[in-house]
Amino acid sequence: MDANIKKEWDNIANLAVYCFDVNEFRIQVPCSDKARHEPLYQYSFSSSDLGVRANPDCTGEISPIWGYLDIFNKSFDEETSSRYTSYSLRVWPKTDLGMTQGSWNSVDEIRADILRFFGRYEEKVGEWHDYVSPKAQSDVDVLTINNRLWGHVACANYGQEDCFVTELTEHLIIMVDFDASSCWPNDAPPPADIKSHVMGFFLDYLNHFDIILRDSVSEEQLPPLGFYPSRRDEKEIDAEGKTIESRSEAYASESLLKW
């Protein structure tokens, strides 16, 4: 199924930004000012005969950023405006998740690999009556977001968490998990109307991902590595992440010089 994204969340574009490298990609993601993030911004994974291995400083999965985001837009009333979702971003070698190596060339391959990963939770599904995990390909949605394919499943107790997966390379995937269960009672499945509302937020959040093949643009066009607070002007931060004079400040200074 294709997700035709319509921007409804004016605040997402004004969030903080975290930017890091994985192999040949530069990845820029929106986040909160209070997000927890790793100070290491460059990660390198290489494949081997035994699967995918990471560099000595970062083996297995990496979790560059995680935290909480307010879920708010004009359609939320005052009572619900303070509700939030947790989120985390992880990069995994496919082999660590039981997935097959090789590129995803079809929707069926995406669904099959995601089902292989969730197969590790079969025991939980059997032991916990309320635990939800995808069991068939029909339980995995494949969405087109910003010209990129993402697999999506509802999982965890009562299906209250949303997991999105996209392929980075033939050996690596990016996984983004959201938990907006603060928006509904935790002893029942999410109400359809509220779940639909928060899904709009999740999809627009992913629409603001920038996954850039570094060789496809000049160095000057790449967003700088690091963490950048919200309500900033990109042109006010130099390549080292240092704040420089803003346009408004420059205009004020220029005006004063005319007097």
Side-chain angles (χ1 to χ4, degrees):
M1 147 175 115
D2 286 345
N4 296 314
I5 307 301
K6 179 181 179 181
K7 182 177 178 183
E8 298 176 349
W9 310 87
D10 295 333
N11 58 336
I12 286 186
N14 298 322
L15 290 174
V17 167
Y18 181 75
C19 187
F20 61 100
D21 281 347
V22 175
N23 287 18
E24 66 269 30
F25 293 90
R26 180 149 301 179
I27 302 170
Q28 181 174 258
V29 299
C31 58
S32 64
D33 286 315
K34 295 181 179 179
R36 292 165 288 175
H37 59 278
E38 295 290 345
L40 179 66
Y41 301 131
Q42 295 175 295
Y43 303 90
S44 178
F45 291 82
S46 60
S47 60
S48 72
D49 293 338
L50 299 177
V52 179
R53 290 186 173 179
N55 64 355
D57 296 327
C58 195
T59 59
E61 68 164 306
I62 61 171
S63 185
I65 194 160
W66 60 103
Y68 295 87
L69 286 167
D70 290 331
I71 297 178
F72 173 78
N73 79 353
K74 296 175 182 178
S75 64
F76 264 22
D77 58 29
E78 185 176 346
E79 181 182 352
T80 60
S81 62
S82 62
R83 290 180 173 170
Y84 63 88
T85 181
S86 67
Y87 66 97
S88 65
L89 183 152
R90 289 172 288 175
V91 180
W92 287 88
K94 286 185 176 180
T95 50
D96 282 9
L97 304 182
M99 295 180 176
T100 57
Q101 294 194 59
S103 298
W104 286 347
N105 296 313
S106 70
V107 169
D108 287 344
E109 288 180 5
I110 296 173
R111 288 174 169 151
D113 253 353
I114 291 175
L115 286 175
R116 290 188 187 99
F117 165 62
F118 278 95
R120 66 179 62 192
Y121 296 104
E122 287 181 0
E123 291 184 1
K124 288 187 178 181
V125 175
E127 295 174 3
W128 301 348
H129 175 70
D130 300 321
Y131 194 88
V132 173
S133 180
K135 302 177 183 65
Q137 288 205 6
S138 58
D139 296 328
V140 182
D141 292 326
V142 178
L143 315 172
T144 302
I145 305 173
N146 200 14
N147 297 317
R148 172 173 286 273
L149 290 176
W150 291 80
H152 163 256
V153 298
C155 55
N157 286 345
Y158 295 104
Q160 294 188 352
E161 295 181 15
D162 289 275
C163 175
F164 294 84
V165 182
T166 192
E167 182 179 66
L168 188 61
T169 73
E170 61 180 336
H171 302 297
L172 299 172
I173 61 97
I174 293 176
M175 182 178 294
V176 182
D177 291 309
F178 296 99
D179 181 356
S181 56
S182 63
C183 297
W184 49 72
N186 60 13
D187 58 353
D193 57 340
I194 299 180
K195 186 60 182 286
S196 174
H197 184 83
V198 299
M199 277 294 293
F201 178 90
F202 300 157
L203 297 177
D204 200 29
Y205 176 90
L206 295 176
N207 194 44
H208 282 78
F209 262 55
D210 285 321
I211 300 177
I212 306 167
L213 184 63
R214 293 204 307 276
D215 289 344
S216 68
V217 299
S218 66
E219 186 68 28
E220 292 76 18
Q221 291 176 292
L222 288 173
L225 297 172
F227 177 86
Y228 298 91
S230 61
R231 297 183 180 85
R232 74 206 182 292
D233 186 332
E234 294 286 357
K235 295 183 180 179
E236 295 175 359
I237 298 176
D238 63 21
E240 297 179 353
K242 297 179 181 179
T243 302
I244 61 177
E245 187 180 51
S246 69
R247 286 199 293 257
S248 59
E249 290 170 337
Y251 177 80
S253 298
E254 184 179 339
S255 298
L256 288 172
L257 289 174
K258 293 179 179 179
W259 283 88

